[in-house]
Amino acid sequence: PAELDEVAARSLAANGAELLVLRADVTNEAEVEAAVAKAVDAFGGIDLLVNNAGGKTNKGPAHEQSAAEFRQLLDLNVVSVLAVSSAVLRLSMLKAKQGDIINISSRAG
């Protein structure tokens, strides 16, 4: 929420840090590219990427899950990691020849 963004920005500014809030649907490659480009423009590059987006579908028997729901789950939990990592690598880390990527996952989604 915007209120949290404002509180975080004030807190960080009070300690001499900068904050750039970017919202993007990690399953949308165009939004990912735009957000990464804005971050690179604002800070000159990205040193650390933490992939931590994820979700889950309604639990239940496999025969009650639709293929569309499963595709959405894969897009969010798997494909988005590739999309965000690829954008950060291409637009920042490979050019700088440095950077770290941390991928976080859980059984909970």
Side-chain angles (χ1 to χ4, degrees), residues 52-102:
N52 192 37
K56 61 183 178 178
T57 60
N58 297 326
K59 293 193 177 194
H63 68 277
E64 292 178 4
Q65 300 291 318
S66 72
E69 287 175 317
F70 191 66
R71 281 188 194 96
Q72 288 176 336
L73 180 70
L74 289 175
D75 281 347
L76 179 58
N77 292 337
V78 180
V79 178
S80 69
V81 174
L82 171 67
V84 177
S85 296
S86 176
V88 170
L89 285 164
R90 283 183 290 99
L91 299 175
S92 180
M93 290 182 179
L94 290 174
K95 293 175 184 176
K97 297 183 181 177
Q98 66 178 16
D100 295 297
I101 299 175
I102 298 170

Side-chain angles (χ1 to χ4, degrees), residues 28-66:
N28 181 313
E29 289 183 64
E31 287 188 31
V32 168
E33 290 280 329
V36 170
K38 286 179 184 177
V40 170
D41 287 345
F43 297 109
I46 296 173
D47 300 317
L48 175 66
L49 168 64
V50 178
N51 285 307
N52 192 37
K56 61 183 178 178
T57 60
N58 297 326
K59 293 193 177 194
H63 68 277
E64 292 178 4
Q65 300 291 318
S66 72

